[in-house]
Amino acid sequence: MQDPNEDTEWNEILRDFGILPPKEEPKDEIEEMVLRLQKEAMVKPYEKMTLAQLEEAEDEFDEEDIKAIEIYREKRLQEWKALTKKQKFGELREISGNQYVNEVTNAEKDLWVIIHLYRSSIPMCLLVNQHLSLLARKFPETKFLKAIVNSCIAHYHDNCLPTIFVYKNGQIEGKFIGVIECGGINLKLEELEWKLSEVGAIQTDLEENPKKGIADMMVSSIRNVSIYDSDSSNSDNDAK
């Protein structure tokens, strides 16, 4: 089979009629290398270095570079701090009552803390723990905690469980006490996520309340029942 890139008169005719594709130009390896080197030269060497390498090579740069390095180093440091903070938690952690003040009330500044007071004999508490465990992995920048209620509050009533407190800077910013406030026995993960996002403890990607559709259906049903009762009452009055 004839090489389509071969320089023959017949191949040229076929190319003119579009039967053969244009001839491939050989790549100039030297030109490619020059372009690559030029591109690399445009990148300052310190932009490829770690913070430790910058420290070691500091004497090799001029005054202008040193100023740029300081800005770059600060940027890298802030990025590292943000990443470290984001990845700080990521799990639902058990604490005892004597750890409450240190872990919750005196938590670091501007940190959101969500704590669930529970009793393992209550099914709704176990459901909330399952949901919070998943949310802790999704929102690692927020501290998620759980504690057996007896270790924190003596003689706490079962009808107040589950209890979820949301703290920031030592203040309670939100609370959900009892089955109804926590979302009911059929609580879905997304519904709890929405509740916590409304308080501000997490930044959800949900666009609307997952329970909105259910609430709309309930309102519609109540309205329909009211209209039916009203019509029935009018019909009874007309009959009289």
Side-chain angles (χ1 to χ4, degrees):
M1 188 173 183
Q2 191 172 359
D3 183 0
N5 286 319
E6 190 179 352
D7 286 323
T8 65
E9 187 177 350
W10 176 245
N11 279 353
E12 288 297 329
I13 293 170
L14 293 178
R15 287 193 196 98
D16 289 341
F17 282 96
I19 297 171
L20 285 180
K23 182 181 176 183
E24 293 182 4
E25 294 294 334
K27 292 182 178 179
D28 189 334
E29 293 183 4
I30 295 177
E31 184 180 352
E32 282 189 349
M33 184 180 68
V34 170
L35 290 173
R36 180 172 55 81
L37 292 173
Q38 286 177 341
K39 187 176 181 181
E40 289 180 357
M42 294 172 66
V43 179
K44 291 286 186 180
Y46 54 78
E47 293 181 5
K48 297 180 180 180
M49 293 182 177
T50 64
L51 294 176
Q53 289 171 331
L54 283 173
E55 194 75 31
E56 292 176 4
E58 202 166 35
D59 294 338
E60 300 176 13
F61 299 110
D62 59 27
E63 187 176 343
E64 185 179 341
D65 278 333
I66 290 173
K67 289 180 181 178
I69 287 170
E70 285 303 319
I71 295 171
Y72 180 69
R73 178 185 285 155
E74 183 62 26
K75 180 184 175 185
R76 289 287 300 275
L77 192 59
Q78 292 305 319
E79 288 173 353
W80 178 79
K81 284 182 178 178
L83 183 62
T84 303
K85 186 177 180 181
K86 269 198 164 189
Q87 297 176 342
K88 191 169 186 179
F89 305 107
E91 64 176 350
L92 176 62
R93 190 159 54 85
E94 181 100 30
I95 65 168
S96 58
N98 57 11
Q99 295 174 292
Y100 196 102
V101 172
N102 187 52
E103 292 281 355
V104 181
T105 313
N106 293 340
E108 63 187 83
K109 186 179 178 183
D110 294 332
L111 175 66
W112 286 97
V113 181
I114 297 167
I115 182 162
H116 173 214
L117 303 182
Y118 76 99
R119 193 167 280 136
S120 57
S121 59
I122 298 177
M124 179 68 182
C125 289
L126 299 180
L127 177 64
V128 169
N129 275 342
Q130 288 178 10
H131 290 341
L132 289 177
S133 183
L134 293 172
L135 291 174
R137 289 201 289 270
K138 184 175 181 181
F139 302 100
E141 66 277 8
T142 297
K143 184 192 282 190
F144 285 80
L145 302 170
K146 62 179 179 178
I148 296 174
V149 67
N150 291 347
S151 72
C152 301
I153 307 172
H155 312 300
Y156 199 68
H157 294 295
D158 282 2
N159 58 7
C160 294
L161 296 175
T163 291
I164 300 173
F165 291 131
V166 181
Y167 280 79
K168 186 180 183 184
N169 295 327
Q171 302 296 318
I172 294 179
E173 299 293 336
K175 56 185 177 180
F176 307 97
I177 300 174
V179 172
I180 300 302
E181 286 192 17
C182 285
I185 59 173
N186 296 316
L187 176 69
K188 301 289 190 299
L189 175 65
E190 293 78 11
E191 293 166 2
L192 183 55
E193 179 177 335
W194 184 264
K195 280 179 174 291
L196 296 175
S197 71
E198 284 190 310
V199 178
I202 56 177
Q203 299 296 318
T204 182
D205 53 5
L206 296 173
E207 295 182 356
E208 63 177 16
N209 187 347
K211 265 196 168 182
K212 183 177 182 297
I214 298 172
D216 289 346
M217 286 176 62
M218 290 177 65
V219 170
S220 178
S221 298
I222 293 169
R223 187 181 293 115
N224 290 337
V225 169
S226 299
I227 293 171
Y228 175 78
D229 288 346
S230 177
D231 289 344
S232 298
S233 177
N234 290 336
S235 297
D236 290 343
N237 290 335
D238 291 343
K240 292 177 182 178

